[in-house]
Amino acid sequence: MKKIFFVFLVILHSTAFTQNKTDWRTIYRGFATKINDLVHTKLEAAFDYEHSYLNGKEWVTLKPHFYPTDSLTLDAKGMDIDKVALNKNGKLIPLQYRYDSMQLKIQLDRTYSQNEKYTIYIQYTAKPNEYKGEGSAAITDAKGLYFINSLGTDKNKPTQIWTQGETESNSVWIPTIDKPDQKCTDEFILTVPDKYVTLSNGKLIKQQKNNNNTRTDTWLMDLPHSPYLFFIGVGDYTIVKDSYKGKEVSYYVEKPYEKVARRIFGHTPEMIQFYSNILGIDFPWQKYAQIVGRDYVSGAMENTTAVLHQESAQQDARQLTDENIWEETIAHELFHHWFGDLVTCESWSNLTVNESFANYSEVLWDTYKYGKEAGDYQNWKDMNDYFLSSSDGKDLVRFYYQNREDMFDAVSYNKGGRILHMLRNYVGDSAFFKSLNLYLNSNKFGNGSAVKLRLAFEAVTGKDLNWFFNQWYFGSGHPVLNISYIYDEKTQLEKIIVQQNQISGKIFKLPFAIDIYTGENRQRYQVCAANKVDTFYFKVPEKPNLVNVDADKILLAQKTDHKTVAEFFYQYNHAQNFLDKREAVVYGSNHLDDVLGYTLVENALYDPFFRIRINALNIFNTTNQSLHQPAIDKIEKLAKADPKKLVRAGAIDVLGKLKNKDYKNFFVEALQDSSYSVAGASLSALSKIDSVEAFKQALQLSKVTAKGRLLTAIVNVFMQYGNGDNFDYVAYNFNALPVGQEKFELLPDFTVFLSKISDSTQFKKGIDYIIQFKNDIPQAYHEQTDPFIKLFLNELKSKKQAMGQINLANYIADKLK
């Protein structure tokens, strides 16, 4: 699962799931006790589009796990159960059962012993829209089965069906033992309108056209996987096919994206080969398909052989000119097919052995495909998101939590990925990947945990790693380091003081490297900090130009590093890693009044790595410091000729800030650029020097497809300079944004725009969109978001009252009740 609300969580400092007063700290959350084991699940499903029902006939084969049993409990949420029987040699023998709308408790015909298989037949109707489940920040709904525009009434949206099983929601549409420590094979037989295609786990082994304009597709998954990974997808898709070693690799997209499908997903075969190589285990499944679902309730989901992506994955050619924003997600979900699907966490408490690996796979892919700096950037970004998430007090492996959805957070994902990065550095690349190979082979088609992971690493390395796993996997927090330096000329000793200042008082054991630079020479030392204060001494013949603590930049730690601007300048030019450069540039940004600090940031404008160039541009765009002409000249060149479109857009932002009318013609010309980001930045810059021309250009641009930065710029120009004539465009695009940070940040400007709207119908529609957004935000965040949204609406109400538009002010008041 690719989590999509981390940034939203960062801004709002969520305290999700902590409001309930139940003392959940006393409830141990181990793996589910196995009484019966799933063996095989066969389902015949037909879909009632009018009522959003699934009419199912299921044959589920099981056997007792170890102890003899005469009963079976299946998860089956919100269904109508019509028949329960034992299928014995094709004959159905009715069984007694009790059903409480959540679990189906069946009395078997006799006591079965270990390895005695039996098959239960269930005829039922699943009613997902009538089931009231609770979602989370990562997965905003829990009804399992979703009918999208099922009656076709929305002409702007296709008709689709898709499922979302994680954590335990597939039991809303199929009776099963809905726990991650269960594994079985399955056969899904789907009857759908003949105009639609289907997708499910495994391979499509049969298609049969029926007499009533329907078709029956049979999908067989002949390798065992967990029930939360079951998947069904139905809709009007175009299938674009690739391959990997003779296995089908396919991309299910809406028709307008057929020509760009390979630009979005086309690295998939290369990713499969890369991951197969580094893990030493070839892709183990029958095929690999990816499908895009409208109104999806999360980011993406690693359903075995049938990955589901949210609609943001579908980018047009102009969006892809900037970058493929979905590439890391594609890599993430693929890597789950080893960590999560082949070896599945034994319990949600151990979720990190699924998600930390998928998170870290993004670093692995970016490093392989785009170079070390790209991988280091991804690693830093994920680490920074963890620091901002206010999740410091949570253990990585958590046997005590209030709700299993709590586990989908920046600890399980981001922190876990950074811990793997440290572990890799500590044991070395060869041992790291050999240990992963052992872990996967020892537990394939079964379950894994942090303990099993430790045992694999210890078996390979011969090292006792209890200290590492106790500290990072079964503990919480991270070090907060204060680093200072003293050089004694008499003794020629460099003294390095590393102080741990974390509020918890917990002391971390931290192996890391220190690089000492004198002139052009670099000497590396391996050290280990393990105390509240550690002091390291090194013989150096002269005062070093730079002492670089954590020289590999692998520590999951917040650091205050007491270096001078000259030392950071040297670090930028001589140290080895992306984060060395970024730290130096950030330091320079806080010392732009110093010639060396300003020069540091200015030099970064031409850094070989484009993320550093963007970083420098952002600094110059947000500073109040006057820009020198040499820097402006460099920025002009970047705006006109940088090979990276995102750098060009960032440079145009800086030029726009200068409000120099000499740039007007350039901004107008750049509106036609192939990049939405460049065009959007140009429109925003133009609005700063000629609002009339910007509004005129926005009107023209609104008549053609606009997305991303360009769409935002058009909406902002209309909100700032427009009126009711522009309402439909502004309101539609505000409403169309997915629930998240971008929409939340647009809200204040949208309410200001509504203050200019006097038409009652338009105004009420705008307020309704805001209220709908408020309600669509996951419940976990309402305590943080509701006060802000109410503040904006109350300010708008006051404005309308002052303008004498009492009926519109009252409409807001009614909606806030």
Side-chain angles (χ1 to χ4, degrees):
M1 174 65 64
K2 177 71 171 180
K3 188 171 179 181
I4 59 172
F5 279 101
F6 282 166
V7 176
F8 204 56
L9 177 148
V10 164
I11 297 299
L12 301 174
H13 299 288
S14 170
T15 54
F17 300 113
T18 60
Q19 292 82 16
N20 194 309
K21 302 300 182 183
T22 303
D23 190 7
W24 49 267
R25 295 167 187 82
T26 63
I27 304 173
Y28 177 78
R29 310 283 190 174
F31 62 79
T33 301
K34 292 183 176 181
I35 299 172
N36 289 282
D37 289 344
L38 294 171
V39 176
H40 183 72
T41 301
K42 178 181 176 181
L43 172 68
E44 291 183 0
F47 302 94
D48 181 340
Y49 283 81
E50 181 179 357
H51 299 98
S52 297
Y53 291 168
L54 181 154
N55 296 311
K57 297 178 180 178
E58 180 190 24
W59 293 260
V60 56
T61 301
L62 309 100
K63 63 182 181 65
H65 180 73
F66 182 80
Y67 300 106
T69 185
D70 63 355
S71 63
L72 168 66
T73 298
L74 297 176
D75 299 297
K77 298 167 183 168
M79 301 177 179
D80 288 344
I81 304 296
D82 300 318
K83 181 183 291 186
V84 177
L86 181 72
N87 183 49
K88 199 165 188 176
N89 299 321
K91 183 179 180 181
L92 296 180
I93 302 171
L95 296 174
Q96 293 183 339
Y97 66 91
R98 291 180 290 114
Y99 181 55
D100 63 1
S101 84
M102 293 295 287
Q103 288 189 319
L104 180 62
K105 298 181 183 294
I106 302 169
Q107 185 64 47
L108 302 177
D109 63 319
R110 62 178 178 82
T111 297
Y112 288 79
S113 59
Q114 187 183 24
N115 296 323
E116 268 194 291
K117 296 179 183 178
Y118 61 92
T119 299
I120 301 296
Y121 170 80
I122 304 169
Q123 186 172 327
Y124 66 95
T125 300
K127 300 179 175 182
N129 288 352
E130 298 173 24
Y131 172 72
K132 303 301 180 184
E134 182 177 334
S136 69
I139 312 161
T140 60
D141 197 89
K143 62 185 181 182
L145 174 66
Y146 296 80
F147 288 78
I148 306 302
N149 193 27
S150 59
L151 300 180
T153 54
D154 186 344
K155 301 306 178 185
N156 296 311
K157 186 179 294 185
T159 297
Q160 297 175 349
I161 297 172
W162 45 261
T163 61
Q164 167 55 41
E166 197 172 34
T167 50
E168 297 175 10
S169 298
N170 274 342
S171 49
V172 177
W173 59 270
I174 184 169
T176 188
I177 303 176
D178 206 354
K179 300 297 179 184
D181 61 348
Q182 289 285 338
K183 298 259 179 165
C184 71
T185 56
D186 61 68
E187 181 180 5
F188 291 160
I189 303 166
L190 313 176
T191 298
V192 300
D194 193 34
K195 61 183 178 180
Y196 295 143
V197 300
T198 68
L199 176 64
S200 190
N201 314 105
K203 296 187 71 172
L204 179 62
I205 61 171
K206 183 180 179 182
Q207 286 190 302
Q208 177 181 317
K209 290 196 173 187
N210 306 316
N211 295 327
N212 57 352
N213 293 320
T214 67
R215 189 187 70 257
T216 300
D217 291 354
T218 300
W219 292 86
L220 178 65
M221 166 58 85
D222 58 6
L223 297 171
H225 64 146
S226 292
Y228 78 89
L229 298 167
F230 292 172
F231 176 76
I232 291 172
V234 182
D236 186 9
Y237 289 97
T238 295
I239 306 174
V240 178
K241 292 188 177 182
D242 263 343
S243 66
Y244 170 76
K245 291 186 176 180
K247 295 181 178 181
E248 178 184 320
V249 176
S250 52
Y251 321 126
Y252 286 60
V253 296
E254 295 170 28
K255 182 66 177 178
Y257 297 92
E258 179 180 8
K259 292 182 179 179
V260 293
R262 279 194 174 85
R263 288 185 62 186
I264 300 169
F265 298 106
H267 286 318
T268 301
E270 186 179 359
M271 287 179 180
I272 297 175
Q273 183 68 70
F274 169 61
Y275 289 148
S276 296
N277 288 346
I278 63 172
L279 295 173
I281 298 175
D282 201 20
F283 181 73
W285 307 99
Q286 305 93 325
K287 68 137 186 336
Y288 193 70
Q290 297 174 84
I291 189 170
V292 180
R294 287 290 190 102
D295 299 339
Y296 183 41
V297 296
S298 190
M301 181 63 207
E302 66 271 17
N303 311 298
T304 318
T305 76
V307 168
L308 174 62
H309 296 278
Q310 70 166 229
E311 61 196 83
S312 299
Q314 292 185 145
Q315 305 154 78
D316 66 23
R318 291 186 72 182
Q319 288 173 291
L320 293 165
T321 297
D322 290 336
E323 61 178 340
N324 183 355
I325 63 168
W326 216 248
E327 187 168 335
E328 282 80 16
T329 302
I330 293 167
H332 179 114
E333 303 308 329
L334 172 61
F335 207 68
H336 268 309
H337 279 68
W338 287 268
F339 291 91
D341 295 7
L342 181 63
V343 179
T344 309
C345 61
E346 66 181 18
S347 67
W348 302 119
S349 296
N350 273 277
L351 176 68
T352 195
V353 298
N354 288 11
E355 295 299 347
S356 65
F357 280 101
N359 175 280
Y360 191 51
S361 75
E362 301 171 37
V363 174
L364 297 174
W365 169 254
D366 282 347
T367 303
Y368 159 80
K369 187 65 177 177
Y370 303 108
K372 185 176 183 301
E373 286 192 307
D376 287 348
Y377 168 78
Q378 182 65 34
N379 196 70
W380 165 79
K381 187 158 67 74
D382 278 336
M383 181 167 64
N384 192 57
D385 284 348
Y386 159 70
F387 288 147
L388 292 170
S389 69
S390 301
S391 300
D392 184 45
K394 299 179 181 178
D395 293 348
L396 185 61
V397 177
R398 267 165 276 166
F399 291 107
Y400 297 88
Y401 53 74
Q402 184 171 340
N403 187 303
R404 61 180 176 265
E405 306 295 343
D406 292 5
M407 296 301 301
F408 293 82
D409 61 12
V411 176
S412 294
Y413 288 69
N414 302 42
K415 182 179 181 181
R418 311 296 66 75
I419 288 168
L420 290 172
H421 192 57
M422 288 189 292
L423 183 58
R424 177 184 175 187
N425 181 270
Y426 180 68
V427 303
D429 273 17
S430 179
F432 181 78
F433 289 110
K434 189 173 180 63
S435 299
L436 299 191
N437 176 275
L438 178 60
Y439 170 79
L440 290 170
N441 274 315
S442 299
N443 302 291
K444 62 183 177 183
F445 301 113
N447 294 97
S449 66
V451 170
K452 292 178 180 179
L453 184 66
R454 174 180 63 80
L455 293 173
F457 270 87
E458 289 180 337
V460 169
T461 65
K463 297 176 182 286
D464 186 321
L465 292 171
N466 275 289
W467 69 269
F468 186 93
F469 279 78
N470 287 341
Q471 175 173 283
W472 290 114
Y473 279 86
F474 301 105
S476 63
H478 59 268
V480 178
L481 305 180
N482 187 75
I483 307 166
S484 56
Y485 314 87
I486 300 172
Y487 181 70
D488 189 324
E489 292 184 358
K490 290 183 179 180
T491 61
Q492 295 186 329
L493 285 177
E494 176 69 25
K495 180 179 178 182
I496 304 167
I497 304 165
V498 179
Q499 184 174 0
Q500 298 194 34
N501 291 331
Q502 45 273 14
I503 296 174
S504 67
K506 173 183 178 180
I507 301 301
F508 288 82
K509 178 180 177 181
L510 303 171
F512 57 86
I514 295 177
D515 283 351
I516 297 181
Y517 293 79
T518 51
E520 298 300 317
N521 297 318
R522 174 174 64 96
Q523 182 67 47
R524 170 157 292 195
Y525 302 93
Q526 296 292 337
V527 302
C528 184
N531 301 287
K532 173 71 174 174
V533 180
D534 286 282
T535 305
F536 305 100
Y537 296 90
F538 301 98
K539 191 77 171 179
V540 186
E542 59 184 283
K543 180 175 173 56
N545 296 93
L546 173 68
V547 177
N548 194 9
V549 172
D550 184 24
D552 288 327
K553 294 296 178 283
I554 50 90
L555 290 182
L556 178 68
Q558 291 173 296
K559 293 177 281 190
T560 301
D561 207 340
H562 295 282
K563 295 173 187 169
T564 66
V565 66
E567 288 168 330
F568 273 116
F569 191 87
Y570 184 98
Q571 177 173 309
Y572 175 82
N573 289 292
H574 291 83
Q576 307 296 305
N577 298 297
F578 159 77
L579 199 49
D580 289 315
K581 288 184 176 182
R582 190 185 186 282
E583 286 177 354
V585 173
V586 169
Y587 188 87
S589 72
N590 294 319
H591 297 80
L592 291 175
D593 54 347
D594 185 303
V595 173
L596 210 53
Y598 185 96
T599 303
L600 198 166
V601 178
E602 183 181 345
N603 289 349
L605 291 170
Y606 279 176
D607 192 272
F609 185 45
F610 79 101
R611 297 289 182 188
I612 295 291
R613 301 200 296 276
I614 291 174
N615 190 198
L617 288 165
N618 288 339
I619 290 167
F620 282 136
N621 189 39
T622 55
T623 183
N624 293 322
Q625 190 86 11
S626 297
L627 301 188
H628 302 166
Q629 192 59 45
I632 295 173
D633 293 342
K634 288 183 179 180
I635 293 167
E636 283 185 18
K637 290 179 181 178
L638 296 177
K640 294 176 180 179
D642 194 275
K644 290 290 187 179
K645 297 288 189 176
L646 292 178
V647 176
R648 289 190 59 201
I652 290 170
D653 285 334
V654 182
L655 297 182
K657 175 191 172 184
L658 300 178
K659 298 182 180 179
N660 184 342
K661 293 187 178 182
D662 291 342
Y663 294 128
K664 177 180 175 178
N665 290 338
F666 168 62
F667 293 156
V668 172
E669 290 172 5
L671 292 175
Q672 305 306 316
D673 194 89
S674 60
S675 159
Y676 286 131
S677 291
V678 171
S682 300
L683 182 60
S684 297
L686 181 63
S687 71
K688 292 180 172 66
I689 58 175
D690 191 336
S691 59
V692 174
E693 181 66 22
F695 187 77
K696 173 185 170 184
Q697 294 289 341
L699 286 173
Q700 292 301 313
L701 292 166
S702 68
K703 296 175 183 178
V704 296
T705 300
K707 294 184 179 182
R709 182 80 189 273
L710 178 58
L711 177 60
T712 302
I714 295 169
V715 169
N716 283 332
V717 168
F718 283 166
M719 288 194 298
Q720 190 171 0
Y721 305 113
N723 53 36
D725 292 340
N726 313 113
F727 173 83
D728 288 343
Y729 190 90
V730 172
Y732 173 82
N733 284 293
F734 171 81
N735 192 49
L737 283 172
V739 177
Q741 191 63 33
E742 184 181 0
K743 194 167 188 174
F744 191 78
E745 291 177 353
L746 190 61
L747 183 59
D749 289 335
F750 186 57
T751 56
V752 171
F753 175 69
L754 289 179
S755 70
K756 297 189 288 185
I757 303 299
S758 56
D759 180 273
S760 176
T761 301
Q762 290 182 338
F763 183 84
K764 290 178 179 179
K765 180 184 287 187
I767 297 300
D768 289 347
Y769 285 162
I770 294 174
I771 297 299
Q772 185 62 53
F773 170 51
K774 172 180 173 292
N775 295 336
D776 286 344
I777 293 172
Q779 188 65 40
Y781 295 128
H782 277 208
E783 185 175 327
Q784 289 75 41
T785 58
D786 282 1
F788 288 101
I789 296 174
K790 289 177 181 178
L791 174 65
F792 301 144
L793 289 174
N794 279 320
E795 288 178 351
L796 179 57
K797 182 181 70 173
S798 297
K799 288 180 182 178
K800 288 300 183 184
Q801 288 172 335
M803 296 166 69
Q805 297 173 349
I806 305 302
N807 62 321
L808 301 185
N810 289 340
Y811 190 78
I812 297 174
D814 289 341
K815 290 293 183 178
L816 288 175
K817 288 180 180 177

